[in-house]
Amino acid sequence: MKKKSILILCASLAVCIALLWLLQALLMPKYMGSVKEGALIGEYYDNAGNNDVVFIGDCEVYENFSPITMWEEYGITSIIRGSAQQMIWQSYYLMEETFQYETPKVMVFNVLSMKYDTPQSTGDQTQREAYNRMTLDGMRWSDSKWNSVLASMTEEEKEWQGQWSYLFPLLRYHDRWSQLTAEDFQYLFKKDQVSDNGYLMQTGVKPYEDEHVQPPLVDYTFGENSYYYLDKMVELCKSHGTQLVLIKAPSLYPVWWDEWDQQMVEYAEKHDLLYVNLLETQEEIGIDWSKDTYDAGLHLNVYGAEKLASYFGRILVDECGVADHRGDDTVSAVWAEKVATYYARKEKLEAQS
Amino acid sequence: METLLQILQDLHPEVDFETEEHLIDNKILNSFDIVTIVAEIDSEFDVAIPAEHLLPKNFNSAKALYALVQKLMDE
Amino acid sequence: MQITSFRFLLFVAAVLAAYYLIPKKGQWMLLLAVSYCFYLWAGIEYLGFILLTTVSTYAATMAMAANQDKQAKFLEENKETLTREDRKASKVKLKKTNRVYLVGCLVLNFSVLAVCKALLIEPFQTAAAAGTLSFLSIGLPLGISFYMFQSMGYVVDVYRQTTPAERNPFKLALFVSFFPQLIQGPISRFGQIAPTLYAPKKFDGKQLSFGLQRMLWGYFKKLVIADRIAAAVIALRGPEHTGVAFFLLTVFYAVQIYGDFTGGIDITIGLAQTLGIELPENFIRPYFSKNIAEYWRRWHISLGEWMKDYIFYPVSVSKPLLQLSKTARKKWRSFGQRLPVYVASVATWFVTGIWHGLTPNFVLWGMLNCFFIVLSEECVGLYERFHNRFHLKEKKWYGGFEILRMFILMNLIRIVDLFPNVSDYFSRIGSLFTTFNFHILWDGTMLKLGLTELDYIILACGIVLMFVISLIQEKKGSIRALLLQQKPVLRYALIFALLVIVLLMGSYGVGYNASAFIYNAF
Amino acid sequence: MKRWMAFLLVLCMAVGFAACSTPEAPTTDGTTPNVGNPGDPNAYYFTHKGTDIRLNGDMEAILKAIGEPKKYTEETSCAFTGLDKTYTYDSFVIQTYPKGDKDYVYMFWFLDDMVETPEGVKIGDTQAAVEAAYGTDAYNGKNAFITKKDNYSMTVILKDGVVSSIQYTIVIG
């Protein structure tokens, strides 16, 4: 009798946990519709393992480089671990986590986020929290994720001990039940791939006409915290024998001040790193700002991203010695599929716009 | 005992104080009644009941209350 | 550490695990250690306050106990030779010497409490904010009103020899600081909790499960009901809300404070139960009361009992008052008889009022309660005649009417909590009779109070659920015992459903400002 | 009793899921920055053509009063639908943030000495003039005077001893 009641208790507990898990899956945003950016981080795991190059950074990487083009032109296997408004500490922990899945030859980091020294230095709390979720929710449970959470939380999140809600997102999305849509049920178990190896394709065109302006700053020195994480990146890559390449994507806004550029040039020199400011080589890349951007110069569209990939792939081959894998049949087979998906997507998006 | 019963009866004519054993537990007497009884006893018997004796067990029946008064008079 | 925080839940889980794993002899010591951890979490600067109360309580009670022992021994040794007068004199002497310790301890503690509370009043707070009196900005030490009253009750009990003194200072320290009740009571008596507080406890699945169920129900009341309606209570305090809106405020506040306070107590008592410790009940479905005296026997019981035993009785049977009563009786018999009751009531309600806060509105609150209690006591005869004349007691609806009447009256009295400026309160009360703005109920005003339609639906369902549960408790007793009679699967399903409701509909996390328990502030 | 409770729980759940049919955007979608109280009359401002241009001011009203800008650009932020808008006039630039379906002033800065602060400071003034207007407390010791009020701030940047930039912004908390 006693045995039986314990058995019932355990079975009930198991059922409850399963139901909670299901509920959590249902309530989490799926990011399949208008805010696809939130799905990017989670897509990495399906494509991890054999990439020679990993890009890490904010929208200036996931909107500007097309890994498929680099494969087609140079046989480079690459993937982007980008997310909206990714902070430098988040980039660091993503890098750390990446090494658990693969050891690429080259890590490429976009340095724009050096300008944000602390979680407080950008956006208001609600917005920052939403960005945090988009970068962190997609990560699998790991030390890196936990540390990234602790480094990223806003004041409000700290106040209610929001770190636990990254372990159990149900605690964060508990009140989303009143906002569920068909999308939440449709993608409950299986999500679509929204990106091509981390690249989020845009086919629209909105020409760049007027210069985006920002007022001058009082102090152009990057913050201590930013440098702290950049130092950690250098060390991390060194310990894995991976070459760290710093880039500044050719986006025209937010403004990339000369004073900032100078600091990066000096930093790269001091640590013997390759630093490429792609803003300076726009003409060589061949970007036509009347056609190659979808939001008036902030990000490139697919036509710009292909041009940039073609240009940057050459640098990876020439300066970093990244290998051509087109001769490898197994790799080629995998990538052939990716290429097909890419063109199907491009065709579909072009038809829509 | 007679005087005591008279005091109680004045307060609650409807109760049979000779048999009722749960005056407090059954919420027949409330704190206002208790204080009134203490004041009456003070004037009739010239016995002051200190606050520490204002416990349910001393007020649950007329008998218990009488015992308390006796004890205090003895001291 | 907020009782509704994840940190608190983790803390509780860790305490529970350790509690049942360590040797049973050490259980109460573990509780003492974690209680101090809990207290330190609130701020190390508050440690002095609880230590002061603990040490002074221990010193006073031990001194009294020593004298009592000495006296008992003296009586025992000289049993034959002592006359009755001698024995009486020895008793009087004991009381006299011990009274010094009693009064010293009470004065010391209550002056600390008074100073702490006084610092919360406007002029001091303004000065603190301006930085001119920076030491004032520390705020009220966690649970000071609760642990201090509990300790002082114990000191009086030892003085009266109704409770033996606890000779182990660490055990006493646990009595003062036991963490579940640090936050908002109940104000337990030493005799009530000592038997289970220190006893070694075997793991008892049923106790644990009952305790957890009660905590869950507490979280439901707090997170789903009280914290949700809080926004509207804040909004309705605005000066533009008069008449019907003010009436609505009193009802909303009744719901909020009920969910908040009884929910919090459910969490406290449930938590203690998981530890095998029995705390006294603090509420017995107070909103079902039919008169104000009954209400105060069912709402915040531990405070009411404390006030009765340590203020009301001592004042009413004090020598001068009895003397006064005697004198008055010669002139007006029945008035003289009731005089001690009136004076003691005023004293009790004055103290109860300022216990809540040293502002005029709380004094007014106490006096209003006092007035209506005395009034209803005095009109008992009148009522009875009225009832008998119309045979009202036999009619079923009349009980409901009495409950509703009581609910509205208490709402109108209770709401004075929210108006530190007493004249605001009276002008709102006045508006009840002059402003009949019923249109606010359907013209969209209700949706501008920070609650959406969905919130109202959840609140309505939640209130119905609380009402039904209370009704079942009133008629059939413990819900958990009833649940236990059901098939396990159904039982688990119901508990799980409640858990899911709390998880999904609780007001916590992003976008909800974690609100502290109302009774933390007292 | 049993049935009663089960009925209630089911009712609560049903209410919960009935609401699922309302198609509303997830909270991470299209949230706008919650940076202040639109229309706050105590915010920093400057006056141009007799119109007060104020942080948190309604941009529509400002446009009506001072006319269309010389140049207008829009800036999206990653993933969010809201647009930050930049209005460039001859002597100053105004940036807005969206809230509801309106735009409010988030930031403005001066481009030349044709406009001045309410305290009379303009681009090209000497450090002494700035100090006279804002006091030494506001000086950061290197190259700027910064004043703060509520969640607003004003920054005057100096270069080679004269004012090179004057900017006002809402400080995000």
Side-chain angles (χ1 to χ4, degrees):
Chain A
M1 189 57 214
K2 185 119 198 235
K3 230 178 182 176
K4 195 185 157 198
S5 66
I6 288 178
L7 207 68
I8 293 178
L9 178 67
C10 290
S12 305
L13 269 178
V15 170
C16 291
I17 289 170
L19 284 174
L20 282 178
W21 179 83
L22 200 68
L23 203 57
Q24 169 163 301
L26 178 67
L27 288 173
M28 281 183 76
K30 308 297 180 291
Y31 301 116
M32 291 288 116
S34 52
V35 197
K36 291 198 173 66
E37 288 84 347
L40 293 176
I41 290 290
E43 290 186 0
Y44 167 73
Y45 305 97
D46 294 336
N47 303 297
N50 285 306
N51 297 297
D52 277 351
V53 180
V54 177
F55 290 82
I56 293 196
D58 53 16
C59 47
E60 293 200 356
V61 293
Y62 71 73
E63 294 286 25
N64 289 349
F65 295 87
S66 166
I68 301 300
T69 309
M70 280 188 267
W71 165 260
E72 286 186 316
E73 293 191 13
Y74 306 101
I76 295 173
T77 52
S78 68
I79 193 162
I80 299 169
R81 299 205 74 184
S83 57
Q85 201 76 16
Q86 193 181 94
M87 299 284 115
I88 189 165
W89 43 93
Q90 295 168 339
S91 305
Y92 169 76
Y93 288 112
L94 279 172
M95 212 176 260
E96 191 183 89
E97 193 209 25
T98 303
F99 282 117
Q100 291 182 358
Y101 292 89
E102 56 192 327
T103 309
K105 265 187 85 73
V106 179
M107 269 295 175
V108 180
F109 174 63
N110 184 59
V111 293
L112 178 69
S113 60
M114 284 294 287
K115 68 188 251 195
Y116 304 117
D117 187 39
T118 64
Q120 283 74 45
S121 46
T122 165
D124 81 335
Q125 296 227 22
T126 350
Q127 213 174 36
R128 258 186 279 138
E129 196 264 344
Y131 281 131
N132 278 347
R133 301 302 317 194
M134 284 195 273
T135 300
L136 297 163
D137 274 343
M139 289 175 81
R140 290 188 179 161
W141 283 13
S142 67
D143 279 1
S144 304
K145 175 170 183 166
W146 185 249
N147 289 327
S148 188
V149 165
L150 294 182
S152 306
M153 279 195 296
T154 64
E155 291 306 312
E156 194 199 0
E157 287 184 281
K158 278 186 195 151
E159 203 171 294
W160 73 283
Q161 296 143 42
Q163 65 267 35
W164 303 105
S165 74
Y166 287 93
L167 281 185
F168 305 105
L170 177 64
L171 299 173
R172 163 64 181 84
Y173 299 110
H174 67 95
D175 58 355
R176 252 193 96 237
W177 50 267
S178 60
Q179 297 154 11
L180 291 179
T181 59
E183 183 187 289
D184 290 293
F185 293 92
Q186 190 184 343
Y187 298 106
L188 182 53
F189 300 110
K190 182 86 187 92
K191 291 195 194 171
D192 292 345
Q193 285 262 342
V194 299
S195 77
D196 297 286
N197 262 28
Y199 168 65
L200 188 63
M201 189 187 291
Q202 303 275 359
T203 53
V205 178
K206 184 179 174 193
Y208 166 78
E209 282 155 356
D210 280 312
E211 188 194 358
H212 298 277
V213 285
Q214 273 180 323
L217 306 183
V218 174
D219 186 0
Y220 290 91
T221 318
F222 288 131
E224 260 177 51
N225 201 38
S226 298
Y227 273 119
Y228 170 76
Y229 281 102
L230 193 59
D231 288 346
K232 281 181 74 135
M233 283 183 189
V234 171
E235 241 167 77
L236 181 71
C237 288
K238 203 181 268 173
S239 71
H240 284 89
T242 296
Q243 183 182 359
L244 178 63
V245 174
L246 305 179
I247 56 159
K248 170 62 190 81
S251 288
L252 299 174
Y253 186 90
V255 174
W256 181 248
W257 301 97
D258 290 344
E259 289 86 345
W260 287 350
D261 193 54
Q262 192 51 39
Q263 286 176 66
M264 284 299 99
V265 169
E266 282 163 16
Y267 187 89
E269 235 164 66
K270 193 175 148 205
H271 293 86
D272 197 20
L273 300 175
L274 177 60
Y275 166 57
V276 189
N277 181 352
L278 294 155
L279 277 164
E280 289 171 353
T281 51
Q282 290 173 46
E283 275 175 35
E284 278 176 64
I285 300 165
I287 299 173
D288 177 350
W289 288 111
S290 66
K291 287 185 196 141
D292 293 341
T293 169
Y294 71 90
D295 54 7
L298 276 61
H299 306 106
L300 300 175
N301 55 24
V302 65
Y303 315 109
E306 286 176 354
K307 286 181 187 169
L308 183 58
S310 159
Y311 178 84
F312 193 70
R314 168 65 42 213
I315 294 178
L316 287 172
V317 172
D318 291 350
E319 309 261 340
C320 311
V322 176
D324 184 343
H325 290 284
R326 278 173 294 187
D328 185 330
D329 287 347
T330 32
V331 179
S332 293
V334 174
W335 278 84
E337 227 173 281
K338 293 180 195 282
V339 170
T341 318
Y342 177 83
Y343 284 109
R345 192 193 306 281
K346 194 171 169 182
E347 206 170 300
K348 196 174 137 206
L349 286 175
E350 278 172 337
Q352 280 170 7
S353 59
Chain B
M1 191 70 187
E2 294 301 310
T3 335
L4 185 63
L5 280 176
Q6 193 54 50
I7 293 173
L8 295 172
Q9 220 69 66
D10 278 353
L11 214 55
H12 284 278
E14 76 284 3
V15 181
D16 180 6
F17 284 96
E18 289 188 49
T19 54
E20 183 58 61
E21 302 257 311
H22 300 283
L23 292 169
I24 304 293
D25 301 343
N26 290 350
K27 302 201 171 101
I28 297 165
L29 295 182
N30 63 21
S31 53
F32 278 39
D33 297 328
I34 289 177
V35 170
T36 312
I37 293 168
V38 170
E40 282 296 304
I41 290 175
D42 183 57
S43 81
E44 297 288 332
F45 297 85
D46 202 25
V47 168
I49 302 178
E52 65 249 45
H53 292 296
L54 302 184
L55 302 170
K57 65 170 190 200
N58 289 333
F59 282 78
N60 254 335
S61 66
K63 241 180 276 161
L65 184 54
Y66 189 66
L68 174 70
V69 173
Q70 290 277 301
K71 191 181 138 219
L72 289 170
M73 278 166 90
D74 272 354
E75 278 181 3
Chain C
M1 187 165 5
Q2 291 257 343
I3 202 167
T4 50
S5 64
F6 302 129
R7 194 174 287 140
F8 180 76
L9 291 176
L10 285 175
F11 177 78
V12 166
V15 170
L16 274 174
Y19 189 73
Y20 288 111
L21 286 176
I22 61 168
K24 293 180 192 62
K25 261 193 185 161
Q27 282 171 331
W28 71 266
M29 293 179 236
L30 176 77
L31 286 184
L32 177 63
V34 297
S35 294
Y36 268 80
C37 286
F38 184 84
Y39 202 76
L40 280 174
W41 204 286
I44 195 154
E45 64 270 30
Y46 301 138
L47 187 64
F49 290 93
I50 199 161
L51 281 177
L52 176 89
T53 298
T54 310
V55 170
S56 62
T57 300
Y58 185 70
T61 51
M62 285 318 285
M64 290 194 277
N67 284 335
Q68 286 161 0
D69 289 349
K70 223 170 27 189
Q71 189 240 11
K73 207 169 148 206
F74 171 73
L75 290 181
E76 183 64 33
E77 278 171 359
N78 305 300
K79 220 174 185 171
E80 275 84 49
T81 56
L82 284 177
T83 63
R84 223 177 86 188
E85 276 66 39
D86 290 339
R87 256 181 299 194
K88 198 169 178 183
S90 139
K91 261 191 193 167
V92 170
K93 198 177 136 224
L94 172 71
K95 290 259 140 146
K96 214 169 161 187
T97 37
N98 275 358
R99 191 168 296 150
V100 176
Y101 298 117
L102 172 73
V103 171
C105 185
L106 293 182
V107 167
L108 174 69
N109 278 283
F110 285 129
S111 18
V112 170
L113 182 62
V115 169
C116 283
K117 290 234 169 193
L119 296 184
L120 287 183
I121 314 178
E122 193 108 4
F124 292 107
Q125 282 300 302
T126 324
T132 46
L133 294 166
S134 61
F135 71 96
L136 294 180
S137 57
I138 55 170
L140 204 57
L142 179 68
I144 189 165
S145 301
F146 294 98
Y147 73 71
M148 209 170 253
F149 267 53
Q150 177 160 315
S151 308
M152 292 309 102
Y154 164 73
V155 174
V156 176
D157 284 349
V158 170
Y159 168 77
R160 290 176 174 177
Q161 291 182 276
T162 49
T163 291
E166 175 54 62
R167 278 147 213 272
N168 184 334
F170 297 104
K171 283 192 174 175
L172 180 69
L174 174 60
F175 171 70
V176 177
S177 67
F178 182 48
F179 77 94
Q181 51 183 19
L182 259 186
I183 305 148
Q184 50 179 352
I187 303 166
S188 312
R189 308 289 286 273
F190 187 78
Q192 280 174 321
I193 66 169
T196 50
L197 188 58
Y198 308 117
K201 260 90 59 180
K202 257 204 288 200
F203 178 80
D204 181 345
K206 190 183 146 195
Q207 288 287 332
L208 181 72
S209 150
F210 270 31
L212 291 176
Q213 286 175 46
R214 182 144 185 195
M215 286 175 77
L216 183 60
W217 180 237
Y219 280 115
F220 171 80
K221 289 192 210 167
K222 165 76 178 156
L223 290 173
V224 180
I225 308 291
D227 286 358
R228 188 174 299 274
I229 208 168
V233 170
I234 292 169
L236 281 170
R237 283 164 75 165
E240 70 277 20
H241 295 294
T242 54
V244 177
F246 174 68
F247 184 79
L248 216 56
L249 169 66
T250 69
V251 176
F252 280 17
Y253 187 56
V255 172
Q256 189 201 0
I257 199 161
Y258 177 83
D260 193 274
F261 197 11
T262 72
I265 288 292
D266 281 334
I267 296 171
T268 302
I269 297 181
L271 175 55
Q273 192 174 11
T274 63
L275 297 164
I277 292 163
E278 201 182 323
L279 294 182
E281 287 298 332
N282 215 15
F283 298 94
I284 310 171
R285 300 169 290 286
Y287 290 167
F288 287 162
S289 306
K290 290 179 179 167
N291 61 59
I292 190 162
E294 185 188 359
Y295 175 85
W296 280 107
R297 282 197 300 272
R298 304 177 74 159
W299 172 275
H300 208 175
I301 298 167
S302 63
L303 181 68
E305 291 277 309
W306 197 98
M307 291 294 168
K308 187 179 83 187
D309 285 343
Y310 303 116
I311 308 277
F312 182 76
Y313 283 156
V315 169
S316 58
V317 302
S318 64
K319 286 241 166 63
L321 210 50
L322 286 180
Q323 204 56 48
L324 195 65
S325 156
K326 261 186 208 165
T327 324
R329 199 177 306 210
K330 282 173 196 147
K331 278 194 171 170
W332 317 280
R333 194 181 139 65
S334 83
F335 173 76
Q337 197 186 23
R338 300 301 260 178
L339 188 69
V341 175
Y342 301 150
V343 176
S345 292
V346 171
T348 306
W349 283 104
F350 180 76
V351 175
T352 311
I354 59 174
W355 180 87
H356 284 86
L358 288 180
T359 41
N361 61 321
F362 286 112
V363 176
L364 174 67
W365 173 86
M367 289 306 110
L368 285 173
N369 273 299
C370 180
F371 174 74
F372 283 103
I373 286 186
V374 171
L375 188 71
S376 68
E377 272 300 309
E378 290 309 303
C379 298
V380 165
L382 212 66
Y383 269 129
E384 235 148 62
R385 254 173 292 158
F386 178 72
H387 291 153
N388 292 340
R389 172 87 179 67
F390 297 100
H391 304 287
L392 285 171
K393 282 282 179 201
E394 295 141 40
K395 298 201 170 84
K396 255 194 168 168
W397 59 266
Y398 190 69
F401 166 76
E402 282 182 304
I403 288 172
L404 190 67
R405 182 184 61 185
M406 190 56 231
F407 180 66
I408 292 172
L409 174 66
M410 280 319 293
N411 288 350
L412 293 178
I413 296 176
R414 186 186 308 113
I415 205 71
V416 72
D417 287 5
L418 301 183
F419 296 94
N421 193 344
V422 170
S423 63
D424 288 346
Y425 171 68
F426 285 116
S427 75
R428 292 307 152 79
I429 291 281
S431 77
L432 283 178
F433 303 99
T434 53
T435 314
F436 302 102
N437 46 348
F438 287 98
H439 57 86
I440 62 146
L441 296 176
W442 54 81
D443 70 357
T445 310
M446 299 292 290
L447 293 173
K448 288 184 193 137
L449 303 176
L451 298 182
T452 62
E453 283 161 2
L454 193 60
D455 286 322
Y456 282 110
I457 295 174
I458 294 175
L459 280 171
C461 292
I463 291 167
V464 169
L465 185 65
M466 289 198 295
F467 181 76
V468 171
I469 293 275
S470 297
L471 215 56
I472 297 171
Q473 285 173 328
E474 191 83 0
K475 306 262 184 229
K476 300 208 169 152
S478 164
I479 294 283
R480 289 169 292 171
L482 283 173
L483 268 181
L484 200 56
Q485 293 162 13
Q486 312 300 325
K487 285 221 173 65
V489 173
L490 176 69
R491 186 164 84 233
Y492 297 143
L494 287 175
I495 295 170
F496 181 67
L498 184 61
L499 174 70
V500 169
I501 290 174
V502 173
L503 271 178
L504 296 195
M505 301 183 192
S507 308
Y508 65 91
V510 169
Y512 300 95
N513 285 325
S515 58
F517 280 95
I518 297 174
Y519 264 71
N520 281 4
F522 294 130
Chain D
M1 188 298 291
K2 219 165 42 177
R3 236 178 281 156
W4 250 108
M5 278 188 56
F7 170 69
L8 263 169
L9 293 173
V10 168
L11 188 73
C12 290
M13 299 296 283
V15 166
F17 287 107
C20 303
S21 51
T22 4
E24 261 179 83
T27 45
T28 42
D29 204 342
T31 322
T32 49
N34 171 27
V35 281
N37 338 319
D40 180 359
N42 293 318
Y44 283 140
Y45 70 101
F46 76 104
T47 311
H48 174 66
K49 289 189 190 163
T51 304
D52 285 352
I53 295 166
R54 212 177 267 281
L55 291 175
N56 269 328
D58 178 359
M59 194 60 206
E60 204 180 329
I62 294 171
L63 282 173
K64 212 174 271 172
I66 65 171
E68 291 298 318
K70 183 176 77 179
K71 206 173 87 184
Y72 166 76
T73 56
E74 291 173 349
E75 286 82 25
T76 49
S77 32
C78 304
F80 281 95
T81 44
L83 277 180
D84 294 341
K85 298 173 180 168
T86 308
Y87 303 82
T88 308
Y89 291 84
D90 288 330
S91 305
F92 53 89
V93 181
I94 302 172
Q95 254 178 8
T96 64
Y97 69 91
K99 186 168 187 170
D101 23 318
K102 287 192 145 193
D103 293 305
Y104 298 94
V105 178
Y106 166 69
M107 179 178 204
F108 56 79
W109 68 94
F110 299 165
L111 299 174
D112 61 27
D113 58 4
M114 298 303 288
V115 279
E116 57 179 37
T117 70
E119 294 80 10
V121 173
K122 52 188 189 300
I123 288 181
D125 280 357
T126 60
Q127 179 163 345
V130 185
E131 206 168 289
Y134 300 109
T136 42
D137 282 355
Y139 189 51
N140 76 347
K142 282 195 316 218
N143 65 339
F145 285 80
I146 299 166
T147 66
K148 290 206 158 93
K149 182 169 79 173
D150 300 331
N151 61 332
Y152 307 110
S153 95
M154 180 213 66
T155 309
V156 178
I157 303 177
L158 300 156
K159 209 169 174 180
D160 307 324
V162 293
V163 174
S164 67
S165 171
I166 298 173
Q167 36 190 283
Y168 290 84
T169 184
I170 298 175
V171 182
I172 310 168

